[in-house]
Amino acid sequence: MIRKYKFGRPFETGAVTAPMEAVQGKPPYGEIWCGDKVPACEEKRPAGAFSYRYVLHDEDIVYGLGEANRGINKRGYQYVSDCTDQPYHTEDKRSLYGAHNFIVISGRETFGLFFDYPSRMTFDIGYEQTERMTVSCERADLYLYVIEGDSAYDVVKQFRKIIGRSYIPPKFAFGFGQSRWGYRTKEDFRHVADGYRSNRIPLDMIYMDIDYMQDYKDFTVNEGEYPDFAAFVAEMKERGIRLIPIIDAGVKVEEGYPVYEEGVRGGYFCKREDGSEFTAVVWPGETHFPDFLNEKAARWFGDLYRGLTDQGIEGFWNDMNEPAIFYSQEGVRELQQVISSCQEMEHGMEDVRRIQEKAGSLANAGADYKRFYHAVNGQMIRHDQVHNLYGYHMTKAAAEAFGRIAPNRRLLLFSRASYIGMHRYGGIWTGDNHSWWSHLLLNLKMLPSLNMCGFLYVGADLGGFGADATRELLLRWLAFGVFTPLMRDHAALGTRDQEAYRFGDTEAFRGIIETRYRLLPYLYSEYLKAAYTDDMYCRPLAFVYPEDDFARGVEDQLIIGDEIMIAPVYTEHAKGRYVYLPEEMRFVKLKKDNYYIEETLEPGHHYVEVAVDEVPLFIRAGKCIPLVDAAQCVEEIDRQTMKWIGFEGASYERYDDDGVHADSRVRRTVDSM
Ligand code: GLC
């Protein structure tokens, strides 16, 4: 049962696709304060603000918020939905790149809430006061959806039904991808391809970061380096490798650059109040931001992807689309003023602190987001009021254009910034994490929350983006990444080389990445099932074993599809780990050369040994999964080698399709052990 409530004059975000009338009256749970009726205890809140309050009970768990920090259970902290270019995902961070305002309260009462509001929103989930949950925002202009269900899982499934089907990428996108900020020349890319192929480590994609472009200009390639880009794309494809270029949100300001000139001519960039184009500095230097919320501008920008698809490109990653701002012209002027007012250094350290503070606050400044506007249906809307929709609309613009450019073909597409609704158009990667063990665990915890919000094609930078990875960390992270739909190793400029063949012996890496391909028929099948039935690909244990009190609290194991549970090793020097089995399971370890072992384990707690070259998984009672021989790329997987592992007598319904076309018919085959 879902009820929709309307407050003020909401912006139509397009998050919900199911037609629904708003109902009158008070929502059944919690209390709402909005407009001028601000309670005395909330004096800090300006009139006109909105706040939703609910009293949490001891046993309540709060799920959701998609790409957010900390645990699967969101209780005990404060989160802010405010798409942010945040390269340090330390525990204290409240905002990351996505804004996913869906939560589920599961305990004494069970219900879900979706706050469809495109600007900054705060979720205090028992942080200021342990038993109080407050969701608030500055303007009482939003839709609130209240979802009642039998369980948290049921609430999620109902929510997923109203937000539309999740994006399904082409099948090759389920292979392994290598990325690094710094690959620039053809030789750089060939070197990576050689490194993988000569070591027989499977690979399907190499990602092109900003250095493939000419001066970081979108939809260009470095002219000296790629005089015949199409031939280079074809050369790689010949080797079973797709090149996946990055596209940034900001368009370089440069006379003679056609994208810039067309954008100005068409009036497609975001403007200041006085009608001039807003300018901010990002990678290319001064840039303008396309107005993705304006239909004409979105169509124009989307069609530009054709320049690359015409040369054989079949996938993209959209970046810097919060949008990230290093600084604006206005911001720099303000900094100059602060510096000149401190010229005499009369106040010593105090002056230094003021300058430092101003300089440190130039990037992604809230003030900048108030300096430019979107033209939506003839109305000028200040960016900060719809900030969380920017990356979503960039990705939507691309996906809709793909429908025109390559009708019926599935292209790979994922984005950094997002809002619920974008899950229909592409996936996401979770941005600039670090080569820290804690970020392996954070990756695991985020996954089911993202699925709750519709984002199925997701993954983190395996091995960590910032800082230097170690062999052990990368191996353990890859062993977890085997199960994430987007499986990509990516690293920042200046960090240690992190490709799977860079750590001396390559055997262990080959074995782990091969495992991804051996499990691919299962992983792909479970992905298709989740997408077609608006379900989760990956669930917390609590959703599968709701009656099991211990399982309800588990935050370092997941259920992948319906058949398997995973319990990755995420601590350094560990020889194995403790794992909780809510039911009897078959413990399987896979490694190189199509090797595996199986052992049946009773329900309860176990310590399992897992070497760094092994991928562990647990097949649930009475179930089985298909396993094929490893291959060098997805297209080479030989389904004739398929065998079954798990429980005798079990059967499995496998989904498959051609992996290429949007309207490809899903084939279902039932096999038994
Ligand atoms: C951003 C992206 C990162 C990319 C870098 C350079 O930091 O998050 O993935 O490598 O920009 O383009």
Side-chain angles (χ1 to χ4, degrees), residues 61 63 106 150-154 522 538-554 557-566 579-586 601-604 617-623 647:
I61 294 180
Y63 295 105
S106 166
D150 299 336
S151 63
Y153 184 30
D154 177 41
Y522 173 71
C538 137
R539 289 173 286 172
L541 266 54
F543 281 28
V544 182
Y545 308 99
E547 306 303 328
D548 182 325
D549 275 346
F550 193 85
R552 266 170 70 80
V554 173
Q557 303 174 198
L558 296 173
I559 304 292
I560 303 288
D562 205 31
E563 274 63 23
I564 66 179
M565 180 180 85
I566 59 166
V579 58
Y580 176 67
L581 271 56
E583 58 181 331
E584 182 191 54
M585 290 186 183
R586 208 117 169 96
L601 296 179
E602 293 302 307
L617 61 88
F618 301 80
I619 302 177
R620 296 177 57 203
K623 298 188 185 287
F647 288 85

Side-chain angles (χ1 to χ4, degrees), residues 181 209-210 246 283 317 319-320 416 429 432 465 490:
W181 174 13
D209 207 320
I210 46 175
I246 195 169
W283 301 124
W317 45 313
D319 192 20
M320 308 303 274
R416 196 170 70 174
W429 96 97
D432 300 349
F465 176 74
H490 180 46

Side-chain angles (χ1 to χ4, degrees), residues 255-322:
E255 297 304 327
Y257 166 38
V259 177
Y260 162 74
E261 292 191 341
E262 278 172 30
V264 172
R265 228 179 301 125
Y268 299 146
F269 295 124
C270 291
K271 303 218 168 51
R272 298 188 181 92
E273 202 172 4
D274 67 6
S276 62
E277 271 92 11
F278 176 72
T279 307
V281 169
V282 203
W283 301 124
E286 295 210 323
T287 62
H288 290 335
F289 294 126
D291 184 356
F292 299 118
L293 276 75
N294 172 285
E295 249 173 60
K296 266 178 81 181
R299 196 179 167 95
W300 162 73
F301 193 87
D303 284 337
L304 293 169
Y305 285 76
R306 187 191 286 274
L308 291 162
T309 55
D310 276 354
Q311 308 199 58
I313 291 296
E314 294 175 59
F316 298 89
W317 45 313
N318 283 345
D319 192 20
M320 308 303 274
N321 51 8
E322 295 70 32

Side-chain angles (χ1 to χ4, degrees), residues 426-445:
I428 47 186
W429 96 97
T430 53
D432 300 349
N433 59 5
H434 276 74
S435 301
W436 297 338
W437 288 91
S438 60
H439 279 183
L440 197 180
L441 185 56
L442 180 63
N443 184 184
L444 181 150
K445 291 181 181 185

Side-chain angles (χ1 to χ4, degrees), residues 421-494:
M422 201 200 82
H423 68 286
R424 302 191 296 271
Y425 302 100
I428 47 186
W429 96 97
T430 53
D432 300 349
N433 59 5
H434 276 74
S435 301
W436 297 338
W437 288 91
S438 60
H439 279 183
L440 197 180
L441 185 56
L442 180 63
N443 184 184
L444 181 150
K445 291 181 181 185
M446 236 185 239
L447 223 59
S449 312
L450 281 161
N451 274 215
M452 292 174 205
C453 299
F455 294 96
L456 299 186
Y457 191 74
V458 291
D461 290 349
L462 301 175
F465 176 74
D468 292 333
T470 61
R471 173 178 182 271
E472 188 188 353
L473 174 66
L474 182 57
L475 281 169
R476 292 297 196 194
W477 210 329
L478 288 170
F480 167 62
V482 161
F483 301 96
T484 65
L486 166 62
M487 184 187 186
R488 180 179 79 144
D489 173 337
H490 180 46
L493 191 69

Side-chain angles (χ1 to χ4, degrees), residues 242-389:
R242 260 94 174 177
L243 291 172
I244 311 293
I246 195 169
I247 300 293
D248 280 354
V251 168
K252 185 173 175 65
V253 173
E254 187 186 88
E255 297 304 327
Y257 166 38
V259 177
Y260 162 74
E261 292 191 341
E262 278 172 30
V264 172
R265 228 179 301 125
Y268 299 146
F269 295 124
C270 291
K271 303 218 168 51
R272 298 188 181 92
E273 202 172 4
D274 67 6
S276 62
E277 271 92 11
F278 176 72
T279 307
V281 169
V282 203
W283 301 124
E286 295 210 323
T287 62
H288 290 335
F289 294 126
D291 184 356
F292 299 118
L293 276 75
N294 172 285
E295 249 173 60
K296 266 178 81 181
R299 196 179 167 95
W300 162 73
F301 193 87
D303 284 337
L304 293 169
Y305 285 76
R306 187 191 286 274
L308 291 162
T309 55
D310 276 354
Q311 308 199 58
I313 291 296
E314 294 175 59
F316 298 89
W317 45 313
N318 283 345
D319 192 20
M320 308 303 274
N321 51 8
E322 295 70 32
I325 292 181
F326 296 165
Y327 58 87
S328 67
Q329 291 175 335
E330 290 88 339
V332 167
R333 268 200 300 276
E334 286 167 11
L335 173 65
Q336 282 162 340
Q337 280 158 14
V338 174
I339 295 174
S340 35
S341 72
C342 297
Q343 207 91 48
E344 306 300 327
M345 290 298 285
E346 280 172 353
H347 307 288
M349 200 48 217
E350 179 57 21
D351 286 340
V352 172
R353 202 193 49 74
R354 274 185 61 211
I355 296 170
Q356 273 175 341
E357 199 174 281
K358 183 67 202 170
S361 68
L362 287 185
N364 310 313
D368 282 334
Y369 295 132
K370 294 185 176 163
R371 298 193 219 268
F372 62 96
Y373 290 76
H374 298 273
V376 187
N377 303 327
Q379 244 194 314
M380 295 306 279
I381 299 189
R382 204 173 68 191
H383 175 79
D384 65 311
Q385 300 187 357
V386 286
H387 173 71
N388 290 339
L389 302 182

